[in-house]
Amino acid sequence: MSPFSLAAAAVAVAFVYYICPARLQWIVLLAASCLLYAQNGAQPLAFLLLTAASTWAASLLIHRIGRRAAQAAHTGGAPLPREEKKRLKARARRRQRAVFFAVLLLNFGILALLKYAHAGTEQTLLRLLGAVGSGGGFRLLVPLGISFYTFQSMGYLIDVYNGKYPPERNPARFLLFVSFFPQMVQGPIGRYDHLAPQLTAPHRPDLKNIRYGLILMLWGFFKKKVIADRALEFVQAVFSDHTPYGGAVIAVSVLLYSLQQYCDFSGGIDLVTGAAEVLGIHLAPNFKRPYFSVSLGDFWRRWHISLGAWMRDYVFYPFALTRPMRLLSKALKKTAGAEIARAMPAALGNILVFLLVGVWHGASMNYVLWGLYNGVILAVSALMEPAYKRFGETHAALVKSRGFHILRVLRTFLIVNIGWYFDRCADFRDALAMLGKTVFSPRLWQLTDGTLFSLGLTLKGFSLLGASAALLFAVSLAQERGIRVRPWLDSLRLPARWALLYGLILVSILFSVSGSGFSSGFIYAMF
């Protein structure tokens, strides 16, 4: 779904949503979500419905098994012996666990098959299943936003399994939670207890919500179409074949990729969040000015926040609290001291989480190395945290100074951009080669001999990109200092407010990248 089609769909759905009776509003959202998703084809819709149906049914079954076990333990005249209660509870938990893992494996298996299967493997599997003949003619399509609705559904299943809340009994309401159309573009990954009540609650038109939502959508459109799509051609030209270019041009391409990826992803999230706000629904935040981070851990708490929170709650903490980790911590306490004993489960948990995040990006070695790169740095940071704390206590004035803060931001920015080499390259050998050129073979003359302007960006294009990035930086800096931009706009006099808004509209229209038009999609739409 392109930025323009998402905005048009949001406005059209909002019109119908607010004129229909309040009790039917959630049905309008469900119908719109399914119709919009069905435009991608019957096959992606079938996979979405399979995930929703299996998760909904499994959550009810898990809840029913637990309730029946509780009833059995309290039926009859005399209370059951303690051992009998424990036996009933253990048997019920085994049955719940079997259902739970079966549905987890089903849905993550579908995700793995659709995202990671090579064409030959995929065709072979389909032939074995009888879905395709020897001549081919059928191919599995990756559904729009499959990772996001899978993670969202499995998070719900885990919460029900752990007894956080009872399951949703209405399958249509649960399907709306899974398929809410703005989220299907690229998240964020919602939590049931935060999102579902908003989706089914009636909403009256609120001019402030509508205005704020439209402003956020405009800002997202600007970031996507004026900045991200403008930088895209240069980035693609260098990363598709880096051999003619020295390290200086490669470094520029990595910096532009850093800008392009951020504006594409966060711009899409702004569009999604704004579209939901127009409907009176507030999604979880997904970005918080990550390039102002003072450490790699801080960066990942600000970038793709909903995925990081999902990994923290459903992978990191369960792993760190497992029996092997507790035994390891206990053993290390005797040999390496209490500080290392406390930090080691967190260090190993970070490596596991980012290995999974790397594989989520793609099942190739460059993504694995990118995940390990981030995970190992975070693991070392966890182990070094006591030393950092002592340094901060000893040099408190230095640590609190503005210069030291800026130094930490620049250091983090460098660490993140080194990681982008592995994230963007198609092959890890290319990533190593490009990184080596950046350090040992810069070829600085390519910055001035015309090479820089032969890769899709003219001097005018670089000027527009620089001015747009400066505006983005100014707005982000204001937000980092605690200024809430949309309330600040409300505080301005009407002529000044409309001058700024109409100016942004005009810039977004005039300088939107025409080569990709309104049809260009988002980086993470097919994740």
Side-chain angles (χ1 to χ4, degrees):
M1 184 178 287
S2 70
F4 182 76
S5 58
L6 173 60
V11 172
V13 171
F15 178 76
V16 178
Y17 181 77
Y18 284 124
I19 64 173
C20 77
R23 69 181 185 279
L24 300 178
Q25 285 181 328
W26 72 272
I27 298 176
V28 170
L29 288 184
L30 176 61
S33 298
C34 291
L35 287 172
L36 289 169
Y37 200 80
Q39 293 180 6
N40 300 297
Q43 188 186 113
L45 180 61
F47 282 118
L48 171 68
L49 294 175
L50 175 59
T51 293
S54 62
T55 306
W56 174 77
S59 64
L60 283 178
L61 183 56
I62 287 170
H63 181 71
R64 188 176 296 123
I65 291 170
R67 187 182 60 190
R68 287 178 177 176
Q71 290 173 346
H74 293 87
T75 55
L80 292 176
R82 183 178 178 182
E83 291 301 318
E84 180 66 14
K85 287 183 179 180
K86 288 177 63 177
R87 188 186 66 81
L88 287 172
K89 185 177 180 180
R91 185 175 66 179
R93 200 56 177 170
R94 285 194 300 271
R95 294 177 61 193
Q96 288 178 321
R97 192 178 298 117
V99 174
F100 172 71
F101 280 110
V103 176
L104 278 183
L105 289 173
L106 170 66
N107 285 284
F108 282 124
I110 291 172
L111 176 63
L113 173 65
L114 296 181
K115 277 178 64 68
Y116 309 126
H118 296 290
T121 306
E122 181 183 283
Q123 290 294 322
T124 301
L125 177 61
L126 289 171
R127 290 192 190 99
L128 290 173
L129 295 174
V132 63
S134 59
F138 180 78
R139 185 175 179 83
L140 290 173
L141 301 174
V142 179
L144 178 70
I146 181 172
S147 291
F148 301 109
Y149 74 67
T150 300
F151 277 101
Q152 185 159 302
S153 301
M154 295 304 96
Y156 163 84
L157 182 67
I158 294 169
D159 286 343
V160 171
Y161 176 76
N162 289 330
K164 183 177 179 180
Y165 40 69
E168 171 60 62
R169 296 186 175 278
N170 187 320
R173 289 176 183 259
F174 181 72
L175 178 59
L176 174 58
F177 164 69
V178 175
S179 65
F180 182 47
F181 75 92
Q183 283 185 291
M184 301 306 290
V185 176
Q186 51 182 359
I189 302 167
R191 299 296 178 94
Y192 178 80
D193 51 346
H194 171 257
L195 181 58
Q198 295 187 75
L199 295 175
T200 54
H203 295 95
R204 292 183 177 181
D206 185 311
L207 291 180
K208 182 179 178 181
N209 277 340
I210 294 172
R211 186 174 71 254
Y212 276 17
L214 292 174
I215 291 172
L216 190 57
M217 291 175 72
L218 173 62
W219 183 239
F221 187 87
F222 168 78
K223 290 200 299 189
K224 164 63 177 168
K225 297 300 299 177
V226 178
I227 301 179
D229 285 359
R230 175 159 276 102
L232 177 60
E233 188 173 353
F234 187 101
V235 172
Q236 286 180 329
V238 176
F239 276 93
S240 61
D241 182 14
H242 65 86
T243 51
Y245 312 114
V249 172
I250 289 172
V252 171
S253 72
V254 172
L255 291 173
L256 288 182
Y257 174 64
S258 186
L259 179 65
Q260 179 244 331
Q261 181 181 215
Y262 171 68
C263 287
D264 190 294
F265 199 0
S266 69
I269 292 296
D270 289 343
L271 277 160
V272 164
T273 305
E277 282 190 21
V278 168
L279 298 165
I281 295 164
H282 298 275
L283 301 179
N286 217 35
F287 284 90
K288 189 181 178 183
R289 303 168 298 282
Y291 289 122
F292 286 90
S293 303
V294 296
S295 67
L296 188 61
D298 187 29
F299 178 86
W300 290 115
R301 286 188 290 272
R302 292 167 173 251
W303 179 286
H304 206 341
I305 296 170
S306 61
L307 176 64
W310 198 98
M311 288 289 177
R312 178 196 66 208
D313 294 342
Y314 302 125
V315 177
F316 178 85
Y317 284 142
F319 173 80
L321 296 174
T322 56
R323 178 176 172 80
M325 287 298 100
R326 293 199 303 270
L327 292 175
L328 175 63
S329 184
K330 187 176 181 180
L332 286 173
K333 190 174 183 179
K334 298 178 182 177
T335 58
E339 291 180 343
I340 296 296
R342 284 194 299 268
M344 186 58 72
L348 296 176
N350 279 318
I351 292 174
L352 172 64
V353 163
F354 275 91
L355 181 61
L356 293 175
V357 171
V359 173
W360 173 73
H361 277 76
S364 57
M365 185 56 66
N366 59 304
Y367 290 124
V368 172
L369 290 176
W370 175 80
L372 288 174
Y373 169 80
N374 285 277
V376 169
I377 291 175
L378 290 171
V380 172
S381 297
L383 294 173
M384 294 292 293
E385 188 173 351
Y388 295 152
K389 186 176 180 180
R390 287 191 292 269
F391 179 84
E393 292 171 351
T394 307
H395 304 84
L398 173 64
V399 170
K400 292 179 181 178
S401 67
R402 179 176 296 182
F404 190 76
H405 177 84
I406 294 173
L407 181 63
R408 295 179 72 193
V409 170
L410 293 175
R411 177 203 59 183
T412 304
F413 184 74
L414 176 63
I415 291 171
V416 169
N417 276 272
I418 292 172
W420 291 150
Y421 282 82
F422 297 96
D423 176 70
R424 182 60 177 81
C425 285
D427 184 87
F428 82 99
R429 296 181 184 86
D430 287 335
L432 292 175
M434 292 176 73
L435 192 57
K437 281 186 178 182
T438 303
V439 177
F440 300 111
S441 181
R443 301 185 200 173
L444 294 174
W445 62 87
Q446 289 186 336
L447 298 178
T448 58
D449 68 356
T451 302
L452 205 61
F453 301 124
S454 67
L455 296 167
L457 275 178
T458 62
L459 178 60
K460 179 183 176 182
F462 269 109
S463 300
L464 285 171
L465 193 60
S468 301
L471 175 59
L472 173 64
F473 177 80
V475 172
S476 300
L477 183 61
Q479 292 174 318
E480 190 70 8
R481 292 178 173 176
I483 296 174
R484 300 172 62 201
V485 175
R486 289 179 290 179
W488 174 79
L489 283 172
D490 279 349
S491 70
L492 298 177
R493 292 183 181 274
L494 192 61
R497 183 195 316 163
W498 283 109
L500 288 173
L501 291 175
Y502 277 117
L504 185 59
I505 292 171
L506 190 63
V507 167
S508 298
I509 293 173
L510 292 179
F511 300 121
S512 173
V513 176
S514 58
S516 50
F518 288 120
S519 62
S520 63
F522 299 93
I523 290 178
Y524 285 93
M526 303 312 295
F527 271 69

